[in-house]
Amino acid sequence: MSAPAPLAGITVLDLSRALSGPYCSALLADLGAHVIKVESAKGGDVTRLWPPFEDEHSLYFESTNRNKSSIALDLYAPEGQAVLHRLVGQADVLLENFRPGVLAKLGLDLEQLQQDRPELVIASITGFGPVGPLRDAAGLDQVAQGMAGLMSVTGPDAEHPYRFGVPIIDMVSGIFTALGIAASLAGRARTGHAAAVATSLLESALALSAFHGQGYLSTGTVPTPQGNDHASLTPYGTFRTADIPLIIAVGNERQWTQFCHLLGDPKLAVDPRFVTGRLRTQHRTDLKDRLEDLLASRPAAEWMETIRAAGIPCGPIYTYDQAFADEQVRALDMVQHLTRTDGSELPLLRGPLSLDGVPTPVHKAPPQLGEDTAEILAAAGLNPEQINDLIDRGVAHTPRARASTAGGVQ
């Protein structure tokens, strides 16, 4: 990019672990923030131990920790907490996803921090929010999916609720938090005061209910799963062809008429059962049977070319190997190639944003535990003797050599 990234000069102290917080800070790092990932010297982020693995590298961890620096501290040692306080004092953003009360055990009182540093953006992600009977309970992605009703509308039928195939609630909680942090930073630029940002997995999951939730609130109707069909629009879902299924999404009346003509059955468009979107949804089973009879005449690739040429959204159901081989995915240059500090090669997905027409880059591979400890301590004002003392006593951890008395790292 020709101009500095929007968050260049912003330091994010990331105390989070697992997925929701790290997903948030990865997005902030993509936008130029300097993200310091603070980890326990006794093993680090728990996802470093989660499969899948490539040799000793957790690919779960690496998928959401691009463009970050890692410092490893004993966060329950007084000296480790003193370092943590020093880092907080130099940060613009403090991000955490602990259960309520954990930060206090680390010597950080959020109310006191807000009084002492009103310009500090404090962002918190919890399982169930700051109030209510579950405020202190541990929360996880699938628990939130279940409690928010999302699993009740996902799957083939009401007797077989399914979770999403990825931890979607962790991820959207991270996205919502990144948005809140960016908004708080924008407000701080105007007023000098940073609003505290908070969400929870349960709130994020409920926010995804969209028309399902609104339909229940307004009419009392409890939605049920529709399998791979859209709950409101028809035809919109997966349809059998002569070989493999296709996803076809007819979004308006013009497209419906056009779709019937290209299928070779223009009379279908004026069938009394199907002339409006509401009627098509009411008679979706009959309509789907007829559409699949027509689609069975040609293979999916031919239909896809014809349907897309008509401006109607259409696409295949890929496995991941097929997705990454697709020419459109390749054109987007989503996969970046980096070298880890141990010299091994790492193909890694970049973030999903572009700035001024340029995709946000991956400029740093996910760090080893404590990879940047000495450099971060030096930048915080500690001299080499102090840094080496912390490392020698196990208060700080680094996989590298001790700090040089001449400065830097040997």
Side-chain angles (χ1 to χ4, degrees):
M1 294 178 291
S2 58
L7 296 183
I10 296 295
T11 297
V12 177
L13 196 66
D14 182 8
L15 300 181
S16 69
R17 69 271 188 251
L19 188 54
S20 61
Y23 199 88
C24 168
S25 58
L27 295 173
L28 300 175
D30 291 342
L31 295 172
H34 174 41
V35 175
I36 299 174
K37 185 175 179 68
V38 181
E39 301 185 70
S40 168
K42 301 175 181 179
D45 189 322
V46 64
T47 59
R48 290 185 182 274
L49 302 177
W50 290 3
F53 285 97
E54 179 189 8
D55 298 325
E56 76 278 11
H57 300 287
S58 166
L59 303 178
Y60 197 115
F61 173 87
E62 293 189 326
S63 69
T64 55
N65 284 287
R66 61 186 179 273
N67 294 336
K68 303 178 188 179
S69 301
S70 170
I71 180 173
L73 298 170
D74 182 346
L75 295 173
Y76 290 96
E79 300 92 334
Q81 292 185 6
V83 171
L84 178 60
H85 291 184
R86 182 187 289 251
L87 294 175
V88 170
Q90 299 173 349
D92 297 283
V93 179
L94 173 64
L95 172 64
E96 60 94 12
N97 63 350
F98 295 116
R99 280 191 287 176
V102 173
L103 276 184
K105 294 180 181 179
L106 301 181
L108 294 175
D109 181 274
L110 294 186
E111 292 185 2
Q112 189 64 48
L113 273 177
Q114 288 177 311
Q115 292 179 17
D116 296 342
R117 293 201 59 212
E119 76 281 7
L120 176 67
V121 178
I122 301 173
S124 301
I125 305 171
T126 58
F128 300 101
V131 296
L134 295 180
R135 68 176 300 274
D136 295 323
L140 291 173
D141 178 278
Q142 190 169 344
V143 174
Q145 287 190 40
M147 284 188 64
L150 293 176
M151 288 179 62
S152 77
V153 295
T154 307
D157 52 54
E159 287 70 42
H160 300 87
Y162 285 179
R163 66 179 288 277
F164 280 64
V166 296
I168 189 69
I169 307 306
D170 278 335
M171 296 160 72
V172 298
S173 297
I175 295 169
F176 293 159
T177 304
L179 173 61
I181 289 170
S184 186
L185 288 170
R188 186 184 77 170
R190 295 194 314 273
T191 68
H193 172 77
V197 175
T199 191
S200 66
L201 301 185
L202 183 57
E203 289 168 284
S204 296
L206 286 166
L208 292 184
S209 64
F211 56 87
H212 281 311
Q214 191 58 53
Y216 168 72
L217 291 174
S218 296
T219 69
T221 301
V222 177
T224 56
Q226 301 297 323
N228 286 321
D229 292 325
H230 195 285
S232 299
L233 304 178
T234 306
Y236 189 139
T238 59
F239 298 87
R240 294 191 304 271
T241 69
D243 50 5
I244 60 174
L246 275 181
I247 299 169
I248 303 170
V250 176
N252 55 50
E253 299 308 312
R254 180 187 60 81
Q255 288 183 349
W256 166 241
T257 300
Q258 195 172 14
F259 186 52
C260 293
H261 278 78
L262 66 83
L263 288 177
D265 189 0
K267 291 182 179 181
L268 192 62
V270 294
D271 186 308
R273 296 171 296 170
F274 310 136
V275 291
T276 68
R278 175 179 281 189
L279 288 170
R280 290 194 293 275
T281 297
Q282 290 175 358
H283 300 281
R284 79 162 73 235
T285 301
D286 291 341
L287 178 57
K288 186 165 188 174
D289 289 343
R290 176 57 183 155
L291 293 178
E292 290 187 330
D293 286 343
L294 295 167
L295 290 165
S297 64
R298 296 166 62 186
E302 292 184 16
W303 279 123
M304 189 159 53
E305 183 177 355
T306 301
I307 295 170
R308 282 178 171 172
I312 299 171
C314 177
I317 301 172
Y318 279 155
T319 55
Y320 272 106
D321 57 332
Q322 293 170 321
F324 285 120
D326 185 88
E327 61 182 61
Q328 178 61 35
V329 174
R330 289 180 177 273
L332 292 170
D333 200 23
M334 286 289 292
V335 181
Q336 305 290 298
H337 295 271
L338 298 97
T339 301
R340 301 184 182 98
T341 53
D342 65 2
S344 59
E345 298 299 315
L346 174 65
L348 193 69
L349 275 174
R350 64 168 175 82
L353 297 173
S354 293
L355 300 172
D356 292 332
V358 179
T360 53
V362 183
H363 55 78
K364 187 177 188 297
Q368 291 180 275
L369 176 61
E371 179 179 305
D372 308 283
T373 293
E375 290 86 346
I376 293 170
L377 292 174
L382 278 69
N383 62 41
E385 290 79 8
Q386 292 171 314
I387 295 172
N388 287 331
D389 179 61
L390 291 174
I391 294 172
D392 290 344
R393 292 191 293 117
V395 176
H397 165 79
T398 177
R400 300 180 181 177
R402 301 165 82 249
S404 167
T405 55
V409 177
Q410 292 178 329

